[in-house]
Amino acid sequence: MTATVTSTLSVTLPTSDGGTRPYKLAPARAWSRPEAPFASRKAYAAAHVIPAVGADNTPGALASLDWDRTLAFRHELWSYGLGVADAMDTAQRGMGLDWAATRELIRRVGAEARAVAASGRGATEGLSVRDLVACGAGTDQLELASVPVGAEGVRRAFDAYREQLATVEDAGPKAILMASRALAKAASGPDDYLRVYSALLREAREQVVLHWLGTMFDPALKGYWGSEDIATATGTFLDLIRAHADKIDGVKVSLLDAEHEKALRAALPEGVRLYTGDDFNYPELIAGDGERHSDALLGIFAAIYPAASAALQAFDAGQPAEARSALDATRELGLHIFSAPTFYYKTGIAFLAWLNGHQPGFQMVGGLQSGRSVPHLARTFELADRAGLLLDPALAASRMAEFLNVNGVAQ
């Protein structure tokens, strides 16, 4: 699957006691791209967005994206056989990406996916737009502070969902019904969730993905599905799924609880996929237990996409041990990028994209590049290198040294 070349590159990294230490980069690793679409697992990498260099990318400013580079990164993911989950929390929904920019992103990525589907070959041959991209539909065009508690707030959330669902379906991607801060605020109990989601599922033109995002990713979603008790909330979630299984492609669950996911996976109706959103325990969940496995819709896949692709290629080749090894080799990096406060994981993903040359500067919309510390990002660099995920070590070392110099760690 891989080949290596020698490396003598080194960078001076900060230490926890305020000092520094030399770090020598591992040899470069060349990852193979698949020659055909994956057959044994369905996988989407949740992609980040790349801001325009000259834009006012400060907290509260409207997002201004570098569309060419943002879409080029999606082509990179497609070339490794992965679908793209777009306009999701990884793209900074609710953390800097406003609805106007999100709507344009959905339209542009839908058009790009249509072109890829029309000329697909190799990893994308025969795939549809919906195979290539799934986009989030939520309620974030609403100003949360103005959403009232109770029936009127629930109605506003429903109308906002309808608008965004239509936007996604008109553009062509598979729709993901994202967890809604507005509905979490307005709903008085499980029945409100069931009414809103049931109506949306009846109106959806094609099957959708349901999204359950835990409070470690977004504290405003506390008590989702009408209860803070996970078992009770899961019961409501399953009631909804069983009542509308024909309209549900799958569910994405991001609670970072492997045992809960396994139990939910076993309880799903036949034909409804479990797309793991567990960026801690994805290796064993995707590998499965011999009877069932999870598919994937993961933010971490945007950071580890060459290794994720290698694992999926190995699953297809009937080599589960090799597949599991490829995923396990990235686990420590995943645990670090998604460490608390977990909702700042996007900073690590954008940082790796910058190190790997996918964007010209380490910037994020809303100024979110400040969401992680220098020592945290230095550790991200080291763990990515150990996993073979710095694709051009010379470029990565040069950029890391520049970043550290600017931040007071002399090279």
Side-chain angles (χ1 to χ4, degrees), residues 8-184:
T8 57
L9 298 166
S10 65
V11 176
T12 300
L13 297 181
T15 59
S16 59
D17 61 1
T20 60
R21 63 182 175 89
Y23 176 75
K24 182 179 178 180
L25 277 74
R29 181 178 296 179
W31 299 92
S32 63
R33 288 173 168 85
E35 297 179 356
F38 298 127
S40 60
R41 303 289 190 280
K42 187 76 172 175
Y44 293 90
H48 77 303
V49 293
I50 299 170
V53 171
D56 180 23
N57 294 307
T58 52
L62 295 177
S64 177
L65 302 187
D66 182 330
W67 291 111
D68 288 343
R69 289 188 171 92
T70 293
L71 293 172
F73 185 68
R74 281 126 182 90
H75 280 276
E76 175 79 354
L77 297 173
W78 286 326
S79 77
Y80 277 87
L82 299 172
V84 171
D86 222 330
M88 300 290 291
D89 44 306
T90 305
Q92 296 181 239
R93 294 292 293 272
M95 293 186 73
L97 192 72
D98 54 274
W99 172 235
T102 300
R103 185 171 52 225
E104 185 66 15
L105 174 63
I106 292 167
R107 290 172 177 167
R108 286 180 182 251
V109 76
E112 209 74 13
R114 281 195 298 277
V116 171
S119 62
R121 54 190 177 274
T124 60
E125 184 175 2
L127 296 183
S128 69
V129 171
R130 286 166 55 82
D131 293 322
L132 290 168
V133 63
C135 288
T139 63
D140 54 334
Q141 71 271 54
L142 299 175
E143 177 60 46
L144 187 60
S146 68
V147 175
V149 175
E152 174 58 21
V154 172
R155 184 194 64 77
R156 292 185 193 179
F158 173 64
D159 288 343
Y161 260 136
R162 291 182 77 192
E163 177 190 358
Q164 294 203 13
L165 176 60
T167 296
V168 174
E169 293 193 320
D170 288 346
K174 183 181 297 180
I176 303 168
L177 294 182
M178 300 176 67
S180 162
R181 292 175 180 172
L183 185 56

Side-chain angles (χ1 to χ4, degrees), residues 172-254:
K174 183 181 297 180
I176 303 168
L177 294 182
M178 300 176 67
S180 162
R181 292 175 180 172
L183 185 56
K185 177 182 178 182
S188 59
D191 287 347
D192 284 334
Y193 288 90
L194 292 173
R195 277 193 295 271
V196 167
Y197 277 91
S198 293
L200 290 168
L201 289 167
R202 285 191 294 268
E203 291 187 10
R205 301 169 206 166
E206 299 189 73
Q207 288 186 326
V208 306
V209 175
L210 299 181
H211 185 201
W212 186 358
L213 194 67
T215 54
M216 67 290 293
F217 290 95
D218 189 344
L221 300 176
K222 184 178 181 180
Y224 215 74
W225 304 114
S227 177
E228 294 182 36
D229 178 72
I230 294 298
T232 302
T234 301
T236 301
F237 191 50
L238 281 169
D239 286 345
L240 175 70
I241 296 164
R242 288 167 180 155
H244 301 280
D246 61 319
K247 297 299 288 288
I248 300 171
D249 168 76
V251 298
K252 170 183 160 57
V253 181
S254 301

Side-chain angles (χ1 to χ4, degrees), residues 3 115 186 202 229 297 313 356:
R202 285 191 294 268
D229 178 72
L297 202 162
Q313 290 175 63
N356 280 320

